[in-house]
Amino acid sequence: MGKKLLLVFSVVISTFLSGLSQNITSYVQKQLDNYFTSKGIKFDHHTIYEFNVNQQQKLVYAITELNMMEAQRKDQAFISIFVFEKNQNKWTETLKKIDYYKDGSFGQFALGEGEIELISLKNGEFVFYYEQIRDSLDGSAKAWLYIFGYKKGQLYRSKILIGETNESTQAVAQNPKLYYSWEAEDFHFEGNTLQNLYLVLNIKEIKGASAQEIKKVKKIKVNFKP
């Protein structure tokens, strides 16, 4: 199942945060250092990604990876998310979610440039998302779209399945008629607020030993949760 490469818009920030003599990335670095040190969590480093949502909003997405002394923990990485908005020519922090969620399978997934996409909506709302493929022990695989929404200082998230296959399973090896695979060859969003946002998938589906392709379109309501 092919993994679609998403475009990323990264910017270098030289403006000051609320008048402090440090840029946004340095500010986030210090916040993360203080938080994980205070919790007694030994970390290796933070990888900080800074994105320009629009002229008035900036998103910071940070991954904190644990060092070898914490290798016995099931959580290999911690995700933190910040949002900054420009007010009277100064950047003000409007969202800080340190240790927002964990992912025990981060050893299989390294977020990098080209993997996050942002969409600016109405009234200061925006979404950002990335795609991740997860393999199962039985040889099957699923592709998920992780979607995050920002609205008035609050962060929401959703997860939607955008592809699945049993191609490498033992069952298919024994009986090719059981083979199935479907994936979103491309997708886009419709709507201009978090409340009325839809994901539209252009799907290619293959079933059985004949591997005949079926094309269809699927429209899914994006249901956000805190």
Side-chain angles (χ1 to χ4, degrees), residues 1-117:
M1 184 181 300
K3 189 174 188 302
K4 178 183 161 189
L5 186 65
L6 302 177
L7 297 178
V8 67
F9 298 95
S10 180
V11 294
V12 177
I13 305 302
S14 60
T15 51
F16 292 153
L17 170 65
S18 299
L20 299 177
S21 58
Q22 59 194 120
N23 63 35
I24 288 176
T25 300
S26 297
Y27 169 81
V28 169
Q29 175 94 30
K30 186 175 181 180
Q31 293 288 305
L32 296 174
D33 286 347
N34 291 343
Y35 175 86
F36 288 105
T37 299
S38 70
K39 295 291 184 180
I41 299 174
K42 299 178 178 63
F43 57 89
D44 184 36
H45 65 278
H46 313 295
T47 303
I48 300 173
Y49 298 91
E50 203 172 300
F51 304 99
N52 191 27
V53 180
N54 50 53
Q55 291 184 346
Q56 301 297 320
Q57 293 175 308
K58 297 187 185 296
L59 165 72
V60 175
Y61 186 102
I63 300 174
T64 299
E65 297 185 34
L66 304 183
N67 68 13
M68 294 301 294
M69 295 181 66
E70 297 277 324
Q72 71 276 11
R73 297 174 63 110
K74 67 176 182 178
D75 305 308
Q76 299 175 19
F78 296 78
I79 306 302
S80 300
I81 297 172
F82 297 74
V83 175
F84 300 89
E85 298 188 6
K86 183 177 280 189
N87 183 18
Q88 296 182 345
N89 217 27
K90 293 181 181 179
W91 290 102
T92 302
E93 178 187 273
T94 58
L95 176 79
K96 177 169 65 176
K97 292 285 189 181
I98 298 180
D99 186 11
Y100 179 56
Y101 72 96
K102 309 172 184 68
D103 191 335
S105 67
F106 251 82
Q108 304 172 12
F109 175 65
L111 180 70
E113 291 187 4
E115 311 241 359
I116 280 186
E117 179 81 15

Side-chain angles (χ1 to χ4, degrees), residues 146-161:
Y146 290 82
I147 309 168
F148 299 82
Y150 173 83
K151 177 181 179 180
K152 296 181 179 179
Q154 299 295 320
L155 192 62
Y156 305 89
R157 56 177 165 166
S158 182
K159 183 175 77 168
I160 295 178
L161 186 67

Side-chain angles (χ1 to χ4, degrees), residues 110-167:
L111 180 70
E113 291 187 4
E115 311 241 359
I116 280 186
E117 179 81 15
L118 297 103
I119 300 176
S120 184
L121 305 174
K122 287 179 62 177
N123 304 321
E125 299 179 22
F126 67 86
V127 296
F128 62 98
Y129 56 90
Y130 61 82
E131 181 182 344
Q132 185 176 357
I133 296 175
R134 291 183 179 275
D135 298 318
S136 299
L137 294 177
D138 65 356
S140 61
K142 294 182 177 181
W144 296 92
L145 198 67
Y146 290 82
I147 309 168
F148 299 82
Y150 173 83
K151 177 181 179 180
K152 296 181 179 179
Q154 299 295 320
L155 192 62
Y156 305 89
R157 56 177 165 166
S158 182
K159 183 175 77 168
I160 295 178
L161 186 67
I162 60 170
E164 186 176 10
T165 183
N166 67 351
E167 181 177 11

